Every structure is written in structure tokens, then in C-alpha cells.
Amino acid sequence: MPSAKIVAFVLFEDALALNIAGPAEVFGSANRLSGESSPLYELIYLSTAGNLVRTSSGVAIQTQSLASVNVHELDTVIVVGGVTVAEAMRDTVLVEWIAHASTIVRRTCSVCTGAFLLASARLLDGRRAVTHWASVDELLAQFPAVQVQLDPIYVNDGNIWTSAGISAGIDLALTLVEVDHDRRLSLAVAKDLVVFLHRPGGQAQFSRTLATQAGAGTRKLKSQLETLHVWIVEHLDEELSIERLAARMKMTPRTFARKFVDQYGRTPAKLIEDLRLETACRHLEENHIAIKQIAFLCGFGDEERMRRAFMRRLRVPPASYREQFAAAI
């Protein structure tokens, strides 16, 4: 049997423990569930100087120094994120090692804000990439050459894989197991770890409704506008023009549009599409009604318009989304 693939986690002080432990457990479970006599993966943990590295939760991990490792023996490098990633980006030894290793290993990956380290190593220039949704604007500002994606859980561009916030590292690791072996093993691992069977990269990172509510809370919106998105969700199958929404808020269309963007951070049309898409996803996951009916209930008008919205935002058609995420009936 071929030797185990060596997966190297690259971490730093105050890295997020779940960025490490989640994917590591996926590879560990794959070893146990493969049915092979030898492990499929060997996991090692690296840091610039080696020795114990303390994560943000206080859990300490024993690491090897970067200099002590033969990069040519590594298969996969996974760079994790953490609250001190900005400090880690100033570690030239770390960044240069990541850049060098990426030219040798089969694939280089990041979890959460680990994408900033890949970007610092110039690995993401001209590539599609993702990070935690709350860090998207910062990644764009610091590295304008990166094609930062908001919605996907993970993105593969060439031999570079990036994943979104925290638990998305588990989804990424499950996909790597599937790529290396087969879907049967990745699903067995997902079941063993009692995680959601496993989310492809196209599934949205977070709830638009929750994000809107959180934004409303931080911006201290007037009570009328605070609850507007709730009313919109209840009337998605209706015509939701600027004029109608403005009349409901007792404002002129111009004033309403300006206040809406100021306080929600997006246009009414953009929020309505987000909410329609999220509601459609929920209906598809519940698996109770036909796709054509979902398109009508969510205000897309017809199935083709909904399909285009799914392809544009999630890169997967509604039928495939349902196949991946629908509950058994």
C-alpha cells in the first residue's frame, strides 16, 4: 500500500484551535474508517520555532519547527487562522516558508483567516479565494489582486484551497478526503463525526437574515427599518418595488433608498434577492415541495430565474442543491 500522505498544519500563537482540531479529526477518522491496515494520513504540526504553541482557547499544541521538516515529504499544507494573524503576517520566515512549500507540495490550503498568510505569500494573486465573511473587506483592501468570494464555504483554484470561517475547515477536509479516496469514505467520516453531510463549497457561509439583524442591532436602526426584512420575508411572493417599500415606511422612494443603504449596507433589491435565495434554500433543504412551486413562493417568478440566481450566487442549480442538502422524507 502507498505510504501515508503527510498533512502539515501550520500554526502560530493564538491560532484558533478548531481550525486545527476540526480538519485533523477528519483525517484521523479517515484513517480509522478506511479499512486499510496502514493509515491514509500522517498529521504533523508546524510553527516557525517549534515547541509548544498556545491557541486562542488556551489549548497548547506541540509543534515542529519549519526548518526541521523536509518539504519534499509533505503532501498537503494547511495554514490556519487566528486572532493574531496580522502579527503572523509579519513573520517573514513563516510567510517565505509557505511560499516555498507551495511550489513543492501537492496542495496548499487555508482555514478561516489563514487566507491572509497565503495572500501575504502571493499565492492568491489572480486567484479566487475565500475567508471568514467578517474578514472579506479587509482581505480585499489589503490584497486587491485576490478575487475574494463572499458566499462559498471553500474555493479550489489550481493547487490552492481556501475555506471560510472555522467549521468550514471540516468541510474542506472532507472534500480533500473525497478527492484523495472516494465519496463513500468522506460520507462515512462525516457520519462518524456527526457533522452535516458534507457541505459542498457552493453552500452559503451564513444566514443573510441573521446578518441583517446583527447589522440592524449595531447600527441602532429605527424600529420601522429594524423589522422591515421580517416583513419582506413574509411577502417574498409579491411585487416588492422601491415605491411599495417606501410607501410602507412612509418615505419618498429617494429618501427610503438612501436610508436603507446607509443602515443596511446594501440596496433593497440586493437584500430582497438575498432573502429570496436563503428562503429557497431552506425550502429545498426541507424537501417538501416542487422546485417550480418554490420559485413562485420565493418571488423568483419562474424556475429559470431561480436557477440563474443559484448559479450566479452559489454556483450550483436548485436541483443539485436539493440533492446535496435535502432531508430524507
Side-chain angles (χ1 to χ4, degrees):
M1 176 173 174
S3 58
K5 293 178 171 63
I6 301 178
V7 179
F9 288 86
V10 179
L11 50 150
F12 48 87
E13 288 290 329
D14 288 323
L16 289 168
L18 189 57
N19 281 188
I20 308 158
E25 288 296 339
V26 169
F27 296 120
S29 292
N31 284 341
R32 289 189 292 103
L33 298 172
S34 69
E36 302 291 345
S37 57
S38 301
L40 304 179
Y41 299 99
E42 177 186 345
L43 309 182
I44 64 173
Y45 305 89
L46 308 179
S47 65
T48 300
N51 299 318
L52 283 174
V53 172
R54 184 182 175 88
T55 65
S56 59
S57 63
V59 175
I61 297 176
Q62 183 64 47
T63 66
Q64 301 172 232
S65 69
L66 297 174
S68 70
V69 175
N70 182 351
V71 178
H72 292 273
E73 295 180 350
L74 305 181
D75 175 81
T76 300
V77 168
I78 299 180
V79 181
V80 304
V83 295
T84 58
V85 70
E87 183 177 337
M89 289 163 62
R90 294 190 289 271
D91 183 342
T92 56
V93 173
L94 177 63
V95 173
E96 289 174 5
W97 185 91
I98 293 170
H100 173 65
S102 72
T103 66
I104 299 171
V105 301
R106 183 162 61 103
R107 58 195 175 201
T108 303
C109 313
S110 67
V111 181
C112 196
T113 55
F116 283 80
L117 286 167
L118 267 56
S120 295
R122 317 313 304 182
L123 301 183
L124 301 184
D125 287 0
R127 295 183 188 266
R128 294 181 298 110
V130 69
T131 188
H132 190 287
W133 64 267
S135 299
V136 164
D137 290 342
E138 186 178 354
L139 187 61
L140 278 168
Q142 290 192 40
F143 302 99
V146 181
Q147 299 174 27
V148 183
Q149 313 289 295
L150 175 59
D151 282 326
I153 291 172
Y154 56 81
V155 168
N156 172 218
D157 194 330
N159 68 333
I160 304 295
W161 296 73
T162 53
S163 59
I166 307 177
S167 63
I170 296 174
D171 299 290
L172 172 61
L174 286 166
T175 296
L176 298 183
V177 169
E178 181 175 342
V179 169
D180 293 344
H181 301 284
D182 54 41
R183 182 166 175 79
R184 176 200 60 79
L185 180 58
S186 69
L187 294 180
V189 171
K191 182 178 180 181
D192 183 56
L193 297 179
V194 199
V195 297
F196 191 69
L197 271 189
H198 92 255
R199 302 179 295 176
Q203 193 179 32
Q205 281 194 47
F206 63 101
S207 164
R208 299 292 182 178
T209 301
L210 290 178
T212 301
Q213 289 173 326
T218 57
R219 298 184 182 92
K220 295 186 172 70
L221 297 182
K222 295 178 182 178
S223 58
Q224 268 190 311
L225 284 174
E226 282 180 339
T227 59
L228 179 61
H229 70 281
V230 176
W231 183 88
I232 291 173
V233 168
E234 294 172 347
H235 297 80
L236 285 177
D237 60 336
E238 301 175 14
E239 188 269 332
L240 297 172
S241 64
I242 286 281
E243 290 74 18
R244 184 182 182 192
L245 297 176
R248 179 172 178 78
M249 296 295 102
K250 297 181 172 57
M251 300 177 189
T252 65
R254 183 174 179 178
T255 298
F256 169 75
R258 175 174 55 80
K259 286 183 178 292
F260 192 99
V261 172
D262 287 346
Q263 298 179 29
Y264 277 110
R266 70 190 77 181
T267 64
K270 183 68 166 59
L271 177 62
I272 290 168
E273 181 181 70
D274 288 341
L275 294 175
R276 281 178 168 148
L277 193 66
E278 182 176 328
T279 304
C281 287
R282 188 169 65 250
H283 282 306
L284 290 168
E285 290 161 13
E286 292 171 352
N287 202 20
H288 295 309
I289 54 180
I291 291 177
K292 182 176 182 179
Q293 187 178 357
I294 292 172
F296 174 77
L297 289 174
C298 295
F300 287 104
D302 58 62
E303 195 171 339
E304 176 57 24
R305 284 184 59 193
M306 187 170 81
R307 189 193 69 80
R308 290 199 301 267
F310 267 71
M311 294 301 298
R312 183 173 65 253
R313 298 293 298 280
L314 302 182
R315 300 179 184 276
V316 62
S320 296
Y321 187 98
R322 166 169 274 174
E323 181 181 346
Q324 292 286 345
F325 304 119
I329 54 174

